[in-house]
């Protein structure tokens, strides 16, 4: 049976041609009706303080200005906190909490007029002391933005005391800007009564709907959110969009005109949250073979001024502080610290990467202390198949890392290349090389259990064409094509027949964010459920009309076999329609088996794990600290891939984004709390020229999900980001070579050339 576009086939992204020819519609491409107004935000220039006066008369007098919006203009709740913590105002009324906080919006006839006018505001703020980083926040007695989490198993104190060796350390791990190509944008159209329709670049239309309703003080049924696609989200549009949607909607209702709000890149970077940076303190006890006996870890995070998603993000850091390794005795704690910085948020991996890199640092510490290859130490500590328990008391049932790492070790010729590098470095040249092979194990499911649900709406029109709508959003990751493949396969029709439509809160209600890599797991299943319902009705119809048993009805490519007869799909659908068969269905899915008790720190938060490994080789110039990635080999597990071409793209993109996070992307706030890296000129993401010289990416084709996921596939969006850690560890090895690997370089992330050079000089000085 061959259906063009069934699952497990290599298909290009449905919009690939449109993406590269500029014909894909983004929110900013929607034709603006005559009379459209433009909004622009006015930001705080103080990190912390009391607002004593806000004189906007000059703003109002500026050419083209229609009006301004401040906290006083909010008819409903002045709160867009995603988890209802109430600490996230649209505009603050009294206290400014970070440099760059939006204080008001200007609405004008053109974007340029609004932008120029915003600069004329005179805001008086009585400064208060501010704290920018998590350690400073702990010292200053700042609160946690949300309750800390503790994960504990075994007897940590006794475990550490009984270990033959113990190492303590601290690692600083930087944040990351999302740098989506399309920035935040919202375009609101007022309707009659309380209605408003908002086109917005959001990963979470239902939340945007809820927030807009809440801010306007109207029921959710009055608000529609639409998103055809995003030009990248990466977690940055999970909650951070709420502000833009709310302000555009407020203005649209106030002036009864369409209103567009599109910040420029600097404002987007300054006013929206990023990946959390962490300071992690660890202590690890181990035996002479490098087997870990006990781990204690404290993870303090820069959360910014409000909770946003910092609770679940810091929780996920703890959930991944084991990465792939069994800790017999363990205690992990989080400190989600309030700081006077922008409120940090979701970013690919959602705190997981910050946990994983600490696990890998501990492995490296052990390896250097014992004079062994870090890969040996990794293998010695893998969860053993069939029974080891994580710090959150979930049993690791399906660990396939031994095979993944074994195959990658062979295909990348790790051993021979490592030996060659050791020999080369021993000659003492200026260019030193390093190689590292690191694994990842990533838990799949939202830890907020109720988020693990999805809906879909499938219509079969009476000409045999199919419309598919689901609650997920497309941000470039290929979710739409994967779900369309599921539908094409279900009806055994070519994928060209399946139209993928924009996400809208009108078609599928109460959806979850497209996040936690679970988009295809959840929406694929919901769409399949809808298809199965329609198919069941079609089978009933066939049985009745042709007088056959259900087992005699078969969907073949483009046709249906009923008893001995075969009829074309279109014809069959036409007949079903005439016989008044309902050809539309709403599907639903909720993930089974998962549960999580946060207070106890116990449960099964993850339905399953996704695995992968990367082997990276780098060269480092020991005079400048500059480096180059020479070769990367990846073997990644996506179960039975829904679409291997798209999945390989996700693995490559995720990996490169992880490398950017750990090498060149550096966020830097000055002493006044002003973000100084707020444009591509000062914030360096990887370029095409930074790609590895040799880049071999493979999927573990033999893998299939042990759980009953959609077609036995696994989530792919986030896990590959953590493969970038192999580059970081390879750089670390090159650095360590200057002191003959006697010491594990305490390299912090990002390992910018400056940091690499300082690490080299520190090691040289200690010689
Ligand atoms: N890939 C592209 N091209 N653009 C994106 O914005 N976001 C990532 C990942 N891959 C992203 C991406 C993040 S953070 C997540 S959670 C997943 O895609 C979300 O989509 P999925 O659940 O459908 O995998
Ligand atoms: Mo992804 S950080 O879960 O949007």
């Amino acid at each position: 049976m061959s259906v063009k576009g069934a699952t497990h086939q290599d298909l290009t992204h449905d919009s690939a041609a449109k993406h590269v020819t500029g014909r894909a519609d983004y929110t900013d491409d929607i034709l603006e009706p005559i009379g459209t107004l433009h909004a622009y935000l006015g930001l705080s220039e103080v990190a912390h303080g009391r607002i004593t006066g806000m004189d906007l008369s000059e703003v109002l007098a500026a050419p083209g200005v229609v009006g301004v919006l401040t906290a006083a203009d909010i008819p409903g709740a002045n709160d867009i906190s995603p988890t209802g913590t109430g600490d996230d105002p649209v505009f603050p009324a009294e206290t400014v909490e970070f440099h760059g906080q939006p204080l008001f919006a200007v609405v004008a006839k053109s974007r340029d007029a609004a932008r120029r006018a915003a600069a004329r505001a005179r805001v008086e703020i009585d400064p208060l002391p501010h704290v920018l980083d998590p350690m400073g926040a702990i010292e200053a007695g700042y609160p946690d933005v949300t309750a800390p989490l503790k994960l504990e198993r075994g007897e940590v104190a006794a475990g550490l005391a009984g270990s033959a060796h113990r190492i303590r350390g601290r690692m600083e791990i930087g944040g990351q800007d999302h740098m989506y190509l399309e920035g935040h944008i919202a375009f609101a159209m007022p309707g009659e009564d309380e209605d408003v329709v908002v086109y917005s670049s959001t990963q979470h239309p239902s939340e945007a709907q809820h927030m807009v309703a809440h801010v306007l003080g109207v029921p959710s049924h009055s608000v529609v959110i639409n998103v055809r696609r995003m030009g990248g989200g990466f977690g940055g549009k999970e909650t951070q969009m709420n502000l833009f949607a709310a302000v555009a909607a407020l203005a649209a209702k106030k002036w009864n005109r369409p209103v567009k709000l599109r910040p420029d890149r600097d404002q987007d970077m300054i006013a929206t949250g990023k990946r959390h940076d962490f300071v992690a303190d660890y202590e690890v006890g181990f035996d002479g073979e490098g087997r870990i006996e006990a781990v204690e870890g404290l993870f303090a995070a820069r959360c910014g001024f409000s909770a946003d998603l910092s609770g679940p993000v810091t929780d996920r850091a703890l959930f991944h502080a084991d990465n792939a390794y069994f800790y017999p005795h363990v205690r992990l704690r989080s400190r989600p610290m309030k700081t006077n910085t922008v409120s940090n948020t979701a970013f690919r991996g959602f705190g997981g990467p910050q946990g994983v890199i600490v696990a890998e640092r501990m492995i490296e510490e052990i390896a250097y202390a014992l004079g062994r290859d870090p890969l040996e130490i990794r293998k010695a500590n893998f969860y053993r198949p069939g029974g080891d328990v994580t710090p959150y008391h979930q049993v690791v049932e399906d660990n396939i890392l031994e095979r993944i790492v074994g195959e990658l070790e062979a295909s990348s010729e790790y051993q021979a290349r490592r030996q060659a590098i050791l020999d080369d470095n021993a000659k003492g040249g200026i260019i030193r090389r390093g190689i590292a092979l690191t694994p990842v194990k990533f838990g799949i499911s939202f830890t907020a259990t109720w988020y693990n649900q999805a809906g879909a709406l499938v219509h079969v029109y009476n000409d045999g064409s199919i419309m598919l709508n689901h609650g997920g959003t497309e941000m470039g990751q290929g979710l739409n094509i994967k779900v369309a493949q599921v539908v094409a396969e279900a009806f055994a029709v070519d994928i060209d027949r399946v139209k993928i439509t924009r996400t809208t809160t009108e078609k599928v209600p109460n959806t979850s964010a497209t996040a936690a890599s679970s988009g295809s797991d959840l929406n694929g299943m919901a769409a399949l459920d809808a298809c199965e319902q329609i198919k069941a009705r079609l089978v009933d119809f066939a049985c009745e009309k042709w007088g056959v048993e259900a087992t005699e009805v078969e969907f073949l490519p483009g046709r249906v076999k009923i008893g001995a007869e075969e009829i074309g799909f279109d014809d069959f659908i036409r007949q079903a329609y005439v016989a008044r068969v309902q050809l539309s269905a709403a599907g639903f899915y909720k993930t089974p088996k998962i549960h999580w008790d946060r207070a106890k720190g116990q449960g099964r938060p993850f339905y399953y794990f996704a695995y992968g490994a990367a082997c990276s080789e780098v060269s480092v110039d020991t005079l400048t600290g500059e480096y180059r990635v020479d070769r990367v080999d990846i073997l990644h597990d996506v179960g039975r891939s829904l679409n291997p071409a798209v999945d390989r793209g996700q693995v490559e993109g995720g990996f490169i984004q992880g490398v950017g996070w750990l090498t060149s992307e550096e966020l830097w706030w000055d002493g006044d709390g002003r973000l100084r890296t707020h444009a591509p000129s000062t914030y360096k993401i990887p370029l095409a020229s930074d790609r590895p010289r040799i880049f071999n990416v493979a999927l573990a084709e033999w893998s299939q999900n042990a759980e009953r996921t959609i077609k036995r596939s696994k989530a792919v969006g986030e896990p590959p980001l953590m493969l970038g850690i192999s580059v970081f560890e390879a750089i670390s090895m090159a650095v360590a070579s200057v002191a003959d690997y006697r010491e594990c370089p305490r390299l912090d992330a990002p390992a910018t050339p400056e940091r690499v050079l300082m690490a080299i000089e520190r090691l040289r000085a200690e010689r």
Side-chain angles (χ1 to χ4, degrees):
M1 126 159 186
S2 75
V3 168
K4 183 181 145 214
T7 61
H8 312 308
Q9 293 180 11
D10 276 327
L11 294 178
T12 39
H13 191 289
D14 47 282
S15 299
K18 285 187 278 188
H19 287 155
V20 296
T21 53
R23 280 177 296 162
D25 277 349
Y26 294 86
T27 301
D28 209 17
D29 297 319
I30 296 170
L31 288 178
E32 295 168 12
I34 292 167
T36 295
L37 301 176
H38 297 264
Y40 203 78
L41 299 171
L43 309 185
S44 164
E45 290 177 7
V46 170
H48 190 198
R50 245 173 233 112
I51 304 171
T52 54
M54 206 188 294
D55 178 0
L56 301 178
S57 53
E58 289 284 307
V59 178
L60 281 163
V65 170
V66 172
V68 295
L69 287 174
T70 65
D73 299 299
I74 294 169
N78 184 9
D79 177 39
I80 44 171
S81 58
T83 53
T85 37
D87 55 355
D88 222 331
V90 178
F91 299 124
E94 287 163 11
T95 312
V96 164
E97 304 246 40
F98 73 95
H99 199 298
Q101 182 167 22
L103 301 179
F104 64 93
V106 194
V107 179
K109 289 183 182 144
S110 74
R111 188 166 166 275
D112 187 52
R115 198 176 163 200
R116 286 173 196 280
R120 298 185 175 204
R122 275 201 289 272
V123 184
E124 275 153 44
I125 297 173
D126 246 1
L128 293 166
H130 64 261
V131 171
L132 302 176
D133 62 282
M135 287 334 227
I138 290 176
E139 271 161 42
Y142 261 45
D144 299 86
V145 289
T146 185
L149 175 67
K150 182 166 80 173
L151 300 181
E152 191 162 19
R153 220 199 48 250
E155 300 293 331
V156 182
L160 283 170
S163 298
H165 307 270
R166 288 165 80 163
I167 294 178
R168 235 183 234 269
R170 167 173 287 189
M171 183 169 191
E172 291 183 16
I173 306 149
Q176 186 174 25
D177 186 86
H178 301 87
M179 232 352 133
Y180 21 60
L181 288 181
E182 176 210 33
H184 280 285
I185 182 164
F187 183 37
M189 303 265 196
E192 62 180 30
D193 302 326
E194 295 174 329
D195 294 355
V196 62
V197 176
V198 185
Y199 295 84
S200 140
S201 184
T202 174
Q203 291 175 239
H204 199 346
S206 285
E207 184 173 283
Q209 174 196 24
H210 182 82
M211 290 297 162
V212 168
H214 192 59
V215 169
L216 293 178
V218 303
S220 290
H221 68 212
S222 300
V223 181
V224 175
I225 306 285
N226 293 323
V227 50
R228 171 61 184 91
R229 63 168 63 76
M230 282 162 276
F234 306 113
K237 295 171 180 170
E238 215 179 307
T239 63
Q240 300 293 298
M241 173 49 59
N242 295 337
L243 173 82
F244 302 93
V247 171
L250 271 172
K253 288 313 276 182
K254 180 160 175 157
W255 286 283
N256 200 30
R257 301 265 288 271
V259 176
K260 185 184 275 190
L261 172 54
R262 173 165 63 84
D264 61 21
R265 179 63 61 170
D266 305 75
Q267 195 168 78
D268 188 303
M269 287 185 75
I270 289 166
T272 68
K274 311 175 187 313
R275 184 188 292 288
H276 291 67
D277 40 359
F278 276 72
V279 178
D281 288 306
Y282 54 85
E283 179 161 15
V284 55
F286 52 99
D287 68 16
E289 294 302 305
R291 273 187 301 261
I292 294 172
E293 280 169 4
V295 167
E296 163 118 59
L298 179 67
F299 291 75
R302 165 158 36 200
C303 297
F305 79 99
S306 72
D308 188 77
L309 297 173
S310 295
V313 166
T314 50
D315 287 2
R316 194 170 271 267
L318 298 196
F319 286 129
H320 288 82
D322 59 343
N323 191 17
Y325 313 114
F326 175 54
Y327 301 160
H329 304 280
V330 55
R331 180 163 57 227
L332 304 167
R333 287 176 303 136
S334 66
R335 287 303 304 273
M337 297 313 300
K338 174 172 177 149
T339 50
N340 296 113
T341 49
V342 66
S343 193
N344 281 332
T345 193
F347 196 138
R348 206 170 194 170
F350 206 79
Q354 295 94 318
V356 170
I357 197 169
V358 173
E360 294 306 327
R361 161 58 59 83
M362 289 189 286
I363 293 283
E364 297 268 321
E365 291 263 32
I366 296 168
Y368 283 94
L370 299 178
R372 305 274 283 273
D373 175 358
L375 183 57
E376 264 178 65
I377 308 299
R378 293 191 162 96
K379 289 180 179 172
N381 286 288
F382 282 160
Y383 281 103
R384 287 158 302 189
D388 281 342
V389 180
T390 60
Y392 42 96
H393 300 251
Q394 172 166 353
V395 177
V396 181
E397 290 167 351
D398 63 340
N399 192 357
I400 53 168
L401 267 177
E402 218 158 302
R403 179 160 177 197
I404 292 216
V405 166
E407 288 186 7
L408 183 68
E409 185 180 349
S411 69
S412 66
E413 299 178 280
Y414 172 82
Q415 295 299 348
R417 286 165 61 210
R418 181 175 146 90
Q419 193 52 54
I421 289 169
L422 288 170
D423 294 347
D424 257 18
N425 286 346
K427 294 177 194 152
I430 286 166
I431 305 292
R432 297 295 177 92
R433 290 193 293 151
I435 187 168
L437 195 163
T438 64
V440 63
K441 158 179 140 288
F442 195 76
I444 302 299
S445 294
F446 288 97
T447 54
T449 305
W450 68 89
Y451 261 33
N452 298 283
Q453 58 170 306
L457 182 64
V458 173
H459 300 329
V460 180
Y461 292 105
N462 65 19
D463 65 348
S465 67
I466 299 169
M467 190 224 68
L468 160 66
N469 198 272
H470 58 79
T473 55
E474 176 64 45
M475 57 193 106
Q477 84 277 39
L479 173 60
N480 280 349
I481 186 103
K482 289 184 178 177
V483 181
Q485 286 173 265
V486 170
V487 172
E489 184 170 299
F491 289 109
V493 298
D494 280 1
I495 196 162
D496 310 337
R497 246 176 220 270
V498 183
K499 170 105 177 161
I500 310 162
T501 54
R502 72 174 181 219
T503 314
T504 171
T505 53
E506 280 182 314
K507 284 189 179 153
V508 181
N510 307 321
T511 55
S512 298
T514 306
S517 307
S518 61
S520 52
D521 279 11
L522 297 174
N523 296 288
M525 279 298 211
L528 184 60
D529 177 42
C531 296
E532 296 297 347
Q533 293 175 44
I534 297 171
K535 279 173 71 182
R537 291 184 211 131
L538 288 169
V539 170
D540 284 350
F541 158 68
C543 292
E544 212 170 285
K545 176 152 184 190
W546 277 266
V548 296
E549 294 296 313
T551 48
E552 294 172 79
V553 184
E554 212 181 330
F555 287 79
L556 298 173
R559 59 201 199 277
V560 185
K561 186 161 184 254
I562 307 166
E565 204 178 321
E566 279 193 15
I567 70 172
F569 186 77
D570 293 350
D571 192 12
F572 179 61
I573 291 297
R574 181 82 204 164
Q575 295 193 40
Y577 160 73
V578 170
R580 296 183 294 172
V581 176
Q582 190 193 356
L583 294 174
S584 168
F588 186 76
Y589 175 72
K590 57 181 182 194
T591 312
K593 293 190 179 179
I594 47 176
H595 54 93
W596 170 240
D597 183 336
R598 190 177 189 271
K600 284 205 189 112
Q602 294 189 20
R604 176 182 178 159
F606 304 121
Y607 188 28
Y608 64 88
F609 297 102
Y611 299 94
C615 176
S616 295
E617 179 182 333
V618 303
S619 316
V620 175
D621 181 331
T622 56
L623 294 182
T624 65
E626 289 166 299
Y627 43 76
R628 181 173 93 173
V629 182
D630 299 311
R631 175 170 168 182
V632 174
D633 295 73
I634 290 174
L635 184 58
H636 197 76
D637 158 40
V638 294
R640 282 203 72 201
S641 174
L642 287 173
N643 182 333
V646 163
D647 283 351
R648 271 193 305 274
Q650 284 292 294
V651 173
E652 290 170 11
F655 171 82
I656 296 285
Q657 197 166 35
V659 174
W661 166 50
L662 293 173
T663 58
S664 62
E665 296 182 41
E666 185 171 31
L667 292 166
W668 198 79
W669 285 265
D670 68 16
D672 295 332
R674 187 186 328 199
L675 180 66
R676 292 298 200 161
T677 47
H678 53 74
S681 54
T682 42
Y683 184 80
K684 297 306 216 185
I685 62 168
L687 305 175
S689 53
D690 293 316
R691 77 197 184 283
R693 297 301 185 271
I694 303 170
F695 197 14
N696 301 319
V697 176
L699 303 176
E701 274 161 21
W702 41 264
S703 173
Q704 64 162 24
N705 203 329
E707 299 294 344
R708 301 194 148 273
T709 51
I710 185 76
K711 309 288 171 188
R712 300 281 180 170
S713 65
K714 287 190 179 183
V716 67
E718 295 165 288
L721 183 128
M722 282 149 276
L723 300 176
I725 293 172
S726 58
V727 168
F728 186 82
E729 299 303 2
I731 292 174
S732 179
M733 175 182 170
V735 169
S737 76
V738 306
D740 294 327
Y741 317 100
R742 278 190 303 274
E743 193 181 316
C744 176
R746 298 255 166 112
L747 198 56
D748 287 327
T752 55
E754 292 85 344
R755 279 219 183 82
V756 170
L757 188 60
M758 286 189 296
I760 289 168
E761 299 201 328
R762 204 160 48 233
L763 286 181
R764 286 208 160 121
E766 283 167 15
R767 261 183 2 153

